[in-house]
Amino acid sequence: MFLSNQIGLILYLLAAFYAFLVSAVLAGVAVTLRVPLSYVYDHFLEFAVASGIISLALSIFLYIKSLAAPESALAPGGNSGNPLYDFFIGHELNPRIGSFDLKYFCELRPGLIGWCLINLCFLMKDIELRGSASLSMILVCGFQGLYVMDALWHEEAILTTMDIVHDGFGFMLAFGDLCWVPFTYSLQAYFLVRHPQELSTLAAIGIVLLNAVGYIIFRGANSQKNAFRRNPSDPSVTGLETIPTATGKKLLVSGWWGLVRHPNYLGDLIMALAWSLPCGLGHILPYFYVIYFTGLLIHREARDEHQCLKKYGLAWQEYCKRVPYRIFPYIY
């Protein structure tokens, strides 16, 4: 079933999950026909460089295209007058070719689906080298596959993110979507090909439970927020405590959003740690993602705080008093 949503006068077709299913079927056919998917592992660096070049070419096209865009179509943060800065951040907010929205398409589909496909190629390389995939590899690919499917199934949630609403589409997002996400988020699986890890049953159960805790927090917080945004009278959120704002909207101050100000980030980081633990503790490379992602989310949280204070004023200050911790309870 295809869904649609509307932000302002821009219509979006929500079909990323179906694109994932088509990709999964094609991947299954490739495995059945014994296509040498391990080739991706053998030439990982070349693929990453090619993706970076494509990202750069797309960014140049986007900036040239933005020069002919009307003032109303430019991004609030990418209209500084500094060409290099605007090229990096994104000069045009929602660049389109006809009805095809370039930013919206790139935000989820190429990067997240590509991430899963790269993981599959690494899993096939693991099987090629050892005759079967290790439990560590299966856990990493399974955890990350679940995360990607969740993001694509709940595609409508991205329509309210800063990437879509505020940031333009320039080199930062193009490189992030097409190169950074698929080629750095897959480093755990890449590491396990050459550094297989033996996991005890107890350790595997513990890691699965840790990922489950992270996912429950992440999905619970996001679903609660989305239900409240769509319909504050929804039975699932009517009992939650709120703070009225001058804009006429309300801020959730109980449920997941009474635990910390960004419980979805907390769940994200718990899952990120669970993805790294199957790789053991002997090397920093598998932990690059969780280290980088912690910095990214702390920076994004600071941006969110600034935007919310600007938008909600005294109501946001009251919320911060009621919920003092930003991401980690009793720590930060």
Side-chain angles (χ1 to χ4, degrees):
M1 177 181 177
F2 288 87
L3 304 173
S4 63
N5 202 348
Q6 193 167 347
I7 297 294
L9 298 177
I10 301 177
L11 186 68
Y12 293 95
L13 182 64
L14 308 182
F17 187 78
Y18 304 98
F20 175 84
L21 292 180
V22 171
S23 301
V25 170
L26 293 177
V29 171
V31 171
T32 302
L33 296 178
R34 299 183 181 277
V35 175
L37 299 179
S38 60
Y39 181 87
V40 173
Y41 176 85
D42 298 331
H43 299 272
F44 182 65
L45 182 59
E46 292 96 317
F47 278 106
V49 171
S51 180
I53 293 171
I54 292 171
S55 303
L56 178 61
L58 174 61
S59 303
I60 293 171
F61 166 77
L62 291 169
Y63 185 74
I64 293 173
K65 179 182 179 300
S66 71
L67 297 178
E71 186 76 18
S72 60
L74 302 182
N79 192 19
S80 68
N82 184 323
L84 287 177
Y85 180 81
D86 293 345
F87 169 80
F88 178 79
I89 293 295
H91 196 39
E92 190 174 358
L93 183 60
N94 297 105
R96 287 189 165 211
I97 298 176
S99 61
F100 183 71
D101 191 303
L102 293 165
K103 181 172 70 171
Y104 182 70
F105 174 81
C106 290
E107 273 290 285
L108 290 179
R109 304 180 197 200
L112 294 190
I113 295 175
W115 175 13
C116 279
L117 292 176
I118 290 172
N119 275 357
L120 172 64
C121 294
F122 294 164
L123 185 144
M124 297 308 297
K125 182 67 176 182
D126 200 31
I127 294 173
E128 179 183 297
L129 292 174
R130 297 174 186 89
S132 63
S134 68
L135 177 58
S136 296
M137 178 69 81
I138 292 171
L139 287 180
V140 166
C141 292
F143 291 159
Q144 295 180 350
L146 170 65
Y147 184 81
V148 168
M149 287 190 288
D150 178 271
L152 299 178
W153 180 256
H154 296 96
E155 183 183 6
E156 73 282 356
I158 200 174
L159 296 175
T160 58
T161 62
M162 293 184 69
D163 288 356
I164 295 294
V165 176
H166 186 267
D167 294 338
F169 192 34
F171 181 77
M172 180 180 71
L173 285 181
F175 181 81
D177 293 341
L178 303 182
C179 185
W180 185 261
V181 167
F183 290 97
T184 62
Y185 289 17
S186 57
L187 284 178
Q188 288 98 341
Y190 180 82
F191 174 84
L192 286 172
V193 173
R194 291 297 179 188
H195 303 86
Q197 303 293 315
E198 293 296 329
L199 276 182
S200 68
T201 302
L202 186 61
I205 292 173
I207 292 171
V208 169
L209 290 176
L210 181 66
N211 189 75
V213 168
Y215 180 75
I216 289 169
I217 296 172
F218 172 81
R219 176 46 39 216
N222 280 324
S223 294
Q224 197 172 73
K225 177 182 67 175
N226 292 335
F228 185 74
R229 281 179 171 173
R230 285 197 305 268
N231 179 17
S233 300
D234 189 296
S236 65
V237 295
T238 50
L240 298 178
E241 191 176 353
T242 61
I243 296 175
T245 72
T247 65
K249 296 183 178 180
K250 296 180 180 179
L251 298 176
L252 282 175
V253 73
S254 63
W256 290 111
W257 299 88
L259 176 66
V260 289
R261 295 180 214 165
H262 299 275
N264 50 341
Y265 292 177
L266 174 63
D268 234 334
L269 292 173
I270 292 173
M271 286 189 289
L273 178 61
W275 303 347
S276 301
L277 288 174
C279 302
L281 301 173
H283 203 287
I284 193 66
L285 182 64
Y287 292 87
F288 169 80
Y289 174 76
V290 67
I291 294 169
Y292 150 77
F293 206 50
T294 299
L296 174 70
L297 291 184
I298 289 175
H299 177 262
R300 178 167 289 186
E301 178 271 331
R303 293 179 66 198
D304 288 344
E305 292 272 327
H306 175 75
Q307 291 293 330
C308 289
L309 179 60
K310 182 179 178 181
K311 185 175 182 180
Y312 300 119
L314 293 176
W316 183 255
Q317 293 177 9
E318 175 63 21
Y319 175 65
C320 292
K321 290 179 183 177
R322 298 278 296 275
V323 185
Y325 298 103
R326 296 170 181 240
I327 299 176
F328 305 102
Y330 306 104
I331 299 174
Y332 174 76

